[in-house]
Amino acid sequence: TGASTTLYAIEENGDPGADFDPEKDEGETQFLIKWKGWSFIHNTWESVDSLTQQKVKGMKKLENFKKKNEELNA
């Protein structure tokens, strides 16, 4: 999560999640976050824990998104 998952960081340093194997490793749910006031190349993948630690605004939007996504899957 974080700055290492921006588009330009991945192009420069490689994908930090490239060696993840869902068959062997237990993962966590992450969300692609479009940061307000920043262009799309600054989007990052963030977990709920990392967003909570950063004390970001908009956690209600994330909860609403998760709720709506669960409804669509049902």
mmCIF file of all heavy atoms in Angstrom, residues 30-50:
data_model
loop_
_atom_site.group_PDB
_atom_site.id
_atom_site.type_symbol
_atom_site.label_atom_id
_atom_site.label_comp_id
_atom_site.label_asym_id
_atom_site.label_seq_id
_atom_site.Cartn_x
_atom_site.Cartn_y
_atom_site.Cartn_z
ATOM 1 N N GLN A 30 -7.744 -4.566 -0.780
ATOM 2 C CA GLN A 30 -7.231 -3.223 -0.994
ATOM 3 C C GLN A 30 -8.118 -2.516 -2.003
ATOM 4 O O GLN A 30 -8.763 -3.143 -2.834
ATOM 5 C CB GLN A 30 -5.787 -3.259 -1.493
ATOM 6 C CG GLN A 30 -4.822 -3.814 -0.491
ATOM 7 C CD GLN A 30 -3.382 -3.744 -0.962
ATOM 8 O OE1 GLN A 30 -3.107 -3.451 -2.119
ATOM 9 N NE2 GLN A 30 -2.473 -4.002 -0.056
ATOM 10 N N PHE A 31 -8.133 -1.216 -1.913
ATOM 11 C CA PHE A 31 -8.968 -0.385 -2.775
ATOM 12 C C PHE A 31 -8.077 0.608 -3.501
ATOM 13 O O PHE A 31 -7.144 1.163 -2.918
ATOM 14 C CB PHE A 31 -10.010 0.366 -1.934
ATOM 15 C CG PHE A 31 -10.889 -0.546 -1.139
ATOM 16 C CD1 PHE A 31 -10.564 -0.889 0.168
ATOM 17 C CD2 PHE A 31 -12.030 -1.082 -1.694
ATOM 18 C CE1 PHE A 31 -11.361 -1.737 0.904
ATOM 19 C CE2 PHE A 31 -12.838 -1.936 -0.968
ATOM 20 C CZ PHE A 31 -12.505 -2.260 0.338
ATOM 21 N N LEU A 32 -8.376 0.854 -4.777
ATOM 22 C CA LEU A 32 -7.644 1.848 -5.551
ATOM 23 C C LEU A 32 -8.230 3.213 -5.206
ATOM 24 O O LEU A 32 -9.393 3.494 -5.469
ATOM 25 C CB LEU A 32 -7.763 1.573 -7.051
ATOM 26 C CG LEU A 32 -6.961 2.493 -7.951
ATOM 27 C CD1 LEU A 32 -5.467 2.365 -7.663
ATOM 28 C CD2 LEU A 32 -7.225 2.169 -9.409
ATOM 29 N N ILE A 33 -7.397 4.054 -4.597
ATOM 30 C CA ILE A 33 -7.853 5.354 -4.102
ATOM 31 C C ILE A 33 -7.410 6.461 -5.047
ATOM 32 O O ILE A 33 -6.235 6.577 -5.369
ATOM 33 C CB ILE A 33 -7.284 5.629 -2.686
ATOM 34 C CG1 ILE A 33 -7.667 4.515 -1.714
ATOM 35 C CG2 ILE A 33 -7.727 7.001 -2.186
ATOM 36 C CD1 ILE A 33 -9.140 4.373 -1.454
ATOM 37 N N LYS A 34 -8.370 7.260 -5.487
ATOM 38 C CA LYS A 34 -8.091 8.467 -6.262
ATOM 39 C C LYS A 34 -8.075 9.614 -5.266
ATOM 40 O O LYS A 34 -9.080 9.950 -4.661
ATOM 41 C CB LYS A 34 -9.171 8.679 -7.325
ATOM 42 C CG LYS A 34 -9.266 10.067 -7.958
ATOM 43 C CD LYS A 34 -8.027 10.475 -8.696
ATOM 44 C CE LYS A 34 -8.196 11.772 -9.435
ATOM 45 N NZ LYS A 34 -7.893 12.954 -8.658
ATOM 46 N N TRP A 35 -6.902 10.183 -5.028
ATOM 47 C CA TRP A 35 -6.744 11.233 -4.035
ATOM 48 C C TRP A 35 -7.250 12.562 -4.567
ATOM 49 O O TRP A 35 -6.923 12.959 -5.686
ATOM 50 C CB TRP A 35 -5.286 11.345 -3.607
ATOM 51 C CG TRP A 35 -4.808 10.094 -2.947
ATOM 52 C CD1 TRP A 35 -4.049 9.117 -3.508
ATOM 53 C CD2 TRP A 35 -5.093 9.655 -1.622
ATOM 54 N NE1 TRP A 35 -3.833 8.104 -2.609
ATOM 55 C CE2 TRP A 35 -4.459 8.409 -1.435
ATOM 56 C CE3 TRP A 35 -5.819 10.193 -0.558
ATOM 57 C CZ2 TRP A 35 -4.534 7.704 -0.242
ATOM 58 C CZ3 TRP A 35 -5.883 9.489 0.627
ATOM 59 C CH2 TRP A 35 -5.243 8.266 0.772
ATOM 60 N N LYS A 36 -8.042 13.252 -3.784
ATOM 61 C CA LYS A 36 -8.603 14.547 -4.159
ATOM 62 C C LYS A 36 -7.476 15.557 -4.351
ATOM 63 O O LYS A 36 -6.578 15.676 -3.530
ATOM 64 C CB LYS A 36 -9.559 15.030 -3.063
ATOM 65 C CG LYS A 36 -10.291 16.295 -3.408
ATOM 66 C CD LYS A 36 -11.276 16.648 -2.318
ATOM 67 C CE LYS A 36 -12.025 17.911 -2.656
ATOM 68 N NZ LYS A 36 -12.996 18.241 -1.612
ATOM 69 N N GLY A 37 -7.527 16.271 -5.465
ATOM 70 C CA GLY A 37 -6.523 17.288 -5.758
ATOM 71 C C GLY A 37 -5.286 16.744 -6.451
ATOM 72 O O GLY A 37 -4.355 17.496 -6.716
ATOM 73 N N TRP A 38 -5.239 15.438 -6.710
ATOM 74 C CA TRP A 38 -4.094 14.815 -7.362
ATOM 75 C C TRP A 38 -4.580 14.133 -8.642
ATOM 76 O O TRP A 38 -5.706 13.672 -8.718
ATOM 77 C CB TRP A 38 -3.453 13.770 -6.446
ATOM 78 C CG TRP A 38 -2.827 14.358 -5.230
ATOM 79 C CD1 TRP A 38 -3.461 14.700 -4.071
ATOM 80 C CD2 TRP A 38 -1.463 14.704 -5.056
ATOM 81 N NE1 TRP A 38 -2.578 15.225 -3.180
ATOM 82 C CE2 TRP A 38 -1.335 15.233 -3.763
ATOM 83 C CE3 TRP A 38 -0.336 14.610 -5.856
ATOM 84 C CZ2 TRP A 38 -0.116 15.673 -3.262
ATOM 85 C CZ3 TRP A 38 0.869 15.041 -5.342
ATOM 86 C CH2 TRP A 38 0.969 15.572 -4.072
ATOM 87 N N SER A 39 -3.725 14.038 -9.646
ATOM 88 C CA SER A 39 -4.117 13.394 -10.893
ATOM 89 C C SER A 39 -4.128 11.877 -10.716
ATOM 90 O O SER A 39 -3.673 11.338 -9.702
ATOM 91 C CB SER A 39 -3.156 13.777 -12.025
ATOM 92 O OG SER A 39 -1.895 13.164 -11.825
ATOM 93 N N PHE A 40 -4.628 11.179 -11.732
ATOM 94 C CA PHE A 40 -4.785 9.731 -11.650
ATOM 95 C C PHE A 40 -3.461 8.993 -11.477
ATOM 96 O O PHE A 40 -3.442 7.886 -10.950
ATOM 97 C CB PHE A 40 -5.521 9.201 -12.882
ATOM 98 C CG PHE A 40 -4.667 9.201 -14.126
ATOM 99 C CD1 PHE A 40 -3.968 8.073 -14.500
ATOM 100 C CD2 PHE A 40 -4.552 10.335 -14.913
ATOM 101 C CE1 PHE A 40 -3.174 8.073 -15.633
ATOM 102 C CE2 PHE A 40 -3.768 10.347 -16.045
ATOM 103 C CZ PHE A 40 -3.068 9.214 -16.407
ATOM 104 N N ILE A 41 -2.345 9.580 -11.894
ATOM 105 C CA ILE A 41 -1.076 8.863 -11.752
ATOM 106 C C ILE A 41 -0.636 8.766 -10.299
ATOM 107 O O ILE A 41 0.257 8.002 -9.972
ATOM 108 C CB ILE A 41 0.058 9.474 -12.610
ATOM 109 C CG1 ILE A 41 0.384 10.888 -12.179
ATOM 110 C CG2 ILE A 41 -0.276 9.405 -14.073
ATOM 111 C CD1 ILE A 41 1.643 11.434 -12.830
ATOM 112 N N HIS A 42 -1.295 9.508 -9.421
ATOM 113 C CA HIS A 42 -0.988 9.459 -7.992
ATOM 114 C C HIS A 42 -1.931 8.522 -7.227
ATOM 115 O O HIS A 42 -1.871 8.465 -5.998
ATOM 116 C CB HIS A 42 -1.044 10.856 -7.381
ATOM 117 C CG HIS A 42 -0.079 11.808 -8.010
ATOM 118 N ND1 HIS A 42 1.278 11.759 -7.779
ATOM 119 C CD2 HIS A 42 -0.282 12.817 -8.887
ATOM 120 C CE1 HIS A 42 1.871 12.713 -8.479
ATOM 121 N NE2 HIS A 42 0.943 13.366 -9.157
ATOM 122 N N ASN A 43 -2.811 7.796 -7.941
ATOM 123 C CA ASN A 43 -3.687 6.828 -7.292
ATOM 124 C C ASN A 43 -2.846 5.774 -6.587
ATOM 125 O O ASN A 43 -1.789 5.386 -7.077
ATOM 126 C CB ASN A 43 -4.579 6.122 -8.312
ATOM 127 C CG ASN A 43 -5.573 7.041 -8.982
ATOM 128 O OD1 ASN A 43 -5.692 8.201 -8.636
ATOM 129 N ND2 ASN A 43 -6.295 6.510 -9.941
ATOM 130 N N THR A 44 -3.310 5.318 -5.434
ATOM 131 C CA THR A 44 -2.595 4.275 -4.701
ATOM 132 C C THR A 44 -3.558 3.185 -4.262
ATOM 133 O O THR A 44 -4.760 3.409 -4.129
ATOM 134 C CB THR A 44 -1.895 4.830 -3.439
ATOM 135 O OG1 THR A 44 -2.865 5.426 -2.586
ATOM 136 C CG2 THR A 44 -0.834 5.845 -3.785
ATOM 137 N N TRP A 45 -3.015 2.003 -4.049
ATOM 138 C CA TRP A 45 -3.781 0.891 -3.488
ATOM 139 C C TRP A 45 -3.632 0.971 -1.981
ATOM 140 O O TRP A 45 -2.523 1.004 -1.455
ATOM 141 C CB TRP A 45 -3.248 -0.454 -4.003
ATOM 142 C CG TRP A 45 -3.621 -0.687 -5.418
ATOM 143 C CD1 TRP A 45 -2.867 -0.430 -6.517
ATOM 144 C CD2 TRP A 45 -4.858 -1.226 -5.903
ATOM 145 N NE1 TRP A 45 -3.550 -0.773 -7.655
ATOM 146 C CE2 TRP A 45 -4.778 -1.267 -7.302
ATOM 147 C CE3 TRP A 45 -6.020 -1.674 -5.291
ATOM 148 C CZ2 TRP A 45 -5.810 -1.750 -8.100
ATOM 149 C CZ3 TRP A 45 -7.048 -2.152 -6.080
ATOM 150 C CH2 TRP A 45 -6.940 -2.182 -7.470
ATOM 151 N N GLU A 46 -4.755 1.004 -1.276
ATOM 152 C CA GLU A 46 -4.751 1.150 0.178
ATOM 153 C C GLU A 46 -5.694 0.134 0.811
ATOM 154 O O GLU A 46 -6.744 -0.182 0.270
ATOM 155 C CB GLU A 46 -5.211 2.555 0.585
ATOM 156 C CG GLU A 46 -4.396 3.685 0.013
ATOM 157 C CD GLU A 46 -3.022 3.830 0.632
ATOM 158 O OE1 GLU A 46 -2.767 3.273 1.721
ATOM 159 O OE2 GLU A 46 -2.177 4.513 0.019
ATOM 160 N N SER A 47 -5.281 -0.364 1.973
ATOM 161 C CA SER A 47 -6.149 -1.226 2.766
ATOM 162 C C SER A 47 -6.942 -0.350 3.733
ATOM 163 O O SER A 47 -6.616 0.823 3.949
ATOM 164 C CB SER A 47 -5.323 -2.247 3.547
ATOM 165 O OG SER A 47 -4.525 -1.592 4.505
ATOM 166 N N VAL A 48 -7.972 -0.909 4.339
ATOM 167 C CA VAL A 48 -8.760 -0.163 5.317
ATOM 168 C C VAL A 48 -7.862 0.246 6.487
ATOM 169 O O VAL A 48 -7.956 1.365 6.982
ATOM 170 C CB VAL A 48 -9.964 -1.009 5.801
ATOM 171 C CG1 VAL A 48 -10.697 -0.308 6.932
ATOM 172 C CG2 VAL A 48 -10.910 -1.294 4.654
ATOM 173 N N ASP A 49 -6.957 -0.636 6.888
ATOM 174 C CA ASP A 49 -6.048 -0.326 7.999
ATOM 175 C C ASP A 49 -5.148 0.867 7.677
ATOM 176 O O ASP A 49 -4.957 1.746 8.515
ATOM 177 C CB ASP A 49 -5.179 -1.534 8.349
ATOM 178 C CG ASP A 49 -5.975 -2.648 8.991
ATOM 179 O OD1 ASP A 49 -7.059 -2.369 9.549
ATOM 180 O OD2 ASP A 49 -5.511 -3.804 8.945
ATOM 181 N N SER A 50 -4.592 0.890 6.473
ATOM 182 C CA SER A 50 -3.697 2.000 6.127
ATOM 183 C C SER A 50 -4.466 3.318 6.045
ATOM 184 O O SER A 50 -3.946 4.366 6.423
ATOM 185 C CB SER A 50 -2.939 1.726 4.830
ATOM 186 O OG SER A 50 -3.800 1.761 3.717
#
